Amino acid sequence: MALVPCQVLRAAILLSYCSILCNYKAIDMPAHQTYGGSWKFLTFIDLVIQAVFFGICVLTDLSSLLTKGNDSQEQERQLKKLISLRDWMMAVLAFPVGVFVVTMFWSIYIYDRELVYPKLLDNFIPAWLNHGMHTTVLPFVLIEMRTTHHQYPSRSCGLAAVCTFAVGYILWVCWIHHVTGVWVYPLLEHLSPGVKIIFFAAVTVIINIFYLVGEVLNNYIWDTQK
C-alpha cells in the first residue's frame, strides 16, 4: 500500500479514537465518579493505548515525510527511535491488549452480559460507542499490521513486558477492591478467592498467547523468516 493512503488511514483511525474518548468521557456515569474513575476499566486503558499508538504512527509518518531526502544524521536517528517506539507499542500493548479486550468482552457478553456489561449501561452508552470501544479496535489493529511491518522485540523481552502490564493491571483491580470493597467487574463478585487466582493466572496466560499470535501473524504477513 502506498505511503500517502496509509497516512490518511492512520490519521482517520486516530481521529476516531479521539472522538470515542471524548464522547466516553462526556458521559455522566456514576462509575466515573468512584475511586479510580475511568482508569479502573481495561477498556478505557486500551482506548488510551490505541490512541497514543496511532498518534505515534501519524507522528512517524509525518517525520518520515519531513526527513525524506534530508541527509541529517540526527533527524535520521530520531526517526529510528520513533519507529522503534511505534513497533514496541504495537507488539507489547496495541495488539495483545486490543485483541484481549475485544475477545474477552464479547465472549463474556454472549455468555451473560450482566457479568461484564450490565443492561443499565445501555442508558448511558449508545450502541455505536460500545462498538467503538469493544469492536472496531480489532479491525483497526489488524489493518495497521497489514499495512506496516513492525519489528518485534526479542520474545523474552516482549513476554516480560506483557506480563508486567497484565500483573500491574490485576494488582490495580485488587487494590480498588481493597479500597472500595467493590470489584471493578461484576464477574469477580461470583468467584471464590481460589478461583479468582486461577482466573487472574489464566488472563495473564491468554494475553501472552495474544502476544505470540501477533508475532506469528506479523512474520506471516511480511514473511520475515525468509
Side-chain angles (χ1 to χ4, degrees):
M1 188 176 287
L3 178 61
V4 173
C6 287
Q7 288 179 315
V8 174
L9 188 61
R10 286 169 177 155
I13 292 175
L14 174 60
L15 289 175
S16 72
Y17 277 123
C18 291
S19 174
I20 291 169
L21 281 168
C22 289
N23 278 277
Y24 178 75
K25 291 299 291 182
I27 296 173
D28 186 20
M29 280 200 310
H32 289 175
Q33 313 304 322
T34 57
Y35 185 83
S38 302
W39 292 98
K40 58 178 169 283
F41 301 113
L42 185 58
T43 292
F44 179 77
I45 295 173
D46 178 51
L47 287 175
V48 174
I49 288 173
Q50 301 298 330
V52 171
F53 169 67
F54 280 99
I56 293 173
C57 288
V58 170
L59 185 59
T60 302
D61 288 337
L62 290 174
S63 299
S64 181
L65 288 174
L66 291 174
T67 58
K68 193 174 182 179
N70 194 324
D71 295 331
S72 173
Q73 293 185 349
E74 179 59 28
Q75 290 183 348
E76 192 69 27
R77 225 175 1 250
Q78 294 301 322
L79 178 59
K80 287 182 179 178
K81 288 181 180 179
L82 203 56
I83 292 173
S84 296
L85 176 60
R86 179 201 67 187
D87 292 350
W88 185 89
M89 276 205 70
M90 175 65 171
V92 173
L93 295 174
F95 186 89
V97 178
V99 175
F100 177 84
V101 167
V102 173
T103 54
M104 287 296 289
F105 174 83
W106 287 112
S107 296
I108 299 175
Y109 185 97
I110 292 171
Y111 174 73
D112 184 356
R113 67 169 295 177
E114 294 298 318
L115 296 175
V116 67
Y117 194 81
K119 287 185 178 181
L120 176 65
L121 293 179
D122 291 341
N123 298 324
F124 300 95
I125 303 176
W128 72 266
L129 186 56
N130 179 29
H131 285 291
M133 296 188 298
H134 298 115
T135 305
T136 58
V137 173
L138 182 56
F140 283 168
V141 79
L142 289 176
I143 288 171
E144 169 61 22
M145 180 169 281
R146 179 62 185 85
T147 56
T148 305
H149 172 248
H150 297 275
Q151 184 66 45
Y152 268 60
S154 66
R155 183 166 293 180
S156 58
C157 290
L159 291 175
V162 172
C163 281
T164 300
F165 174 85
V167 172
Y169 180 70
I170 290 170
L171 292 176
W172 171 231
V173 169
C174 292
W175 174 255
I176 292 172
H177 177 262
H178 172 73
V179 173
T180 65
V182 178
W183 288 104
V184 174
Y185 302 102
L187 169 66
L188 297 173
E189 300 282 359
H190 302 279
L191 303 180
S192 64
V195 176
K196 280 189 184 73
I197 294 174
I198 296 173
F199 176 78
F200 288 143
V203 162
T204 304
V205 170
I206 291 171
I207 199 169
N208 276 274
I209 290 174
F210 285 141
Y211 171 86
L212 296 174
V213 169
E215 183 183 43
V216 171
L217 187 59
N218 182 70
N219 289 339
Y220 174 76
I221 291 173
W222 296 97
D223 203 19
T224 55
Q225 290 184 346
K226 280 190 174 182

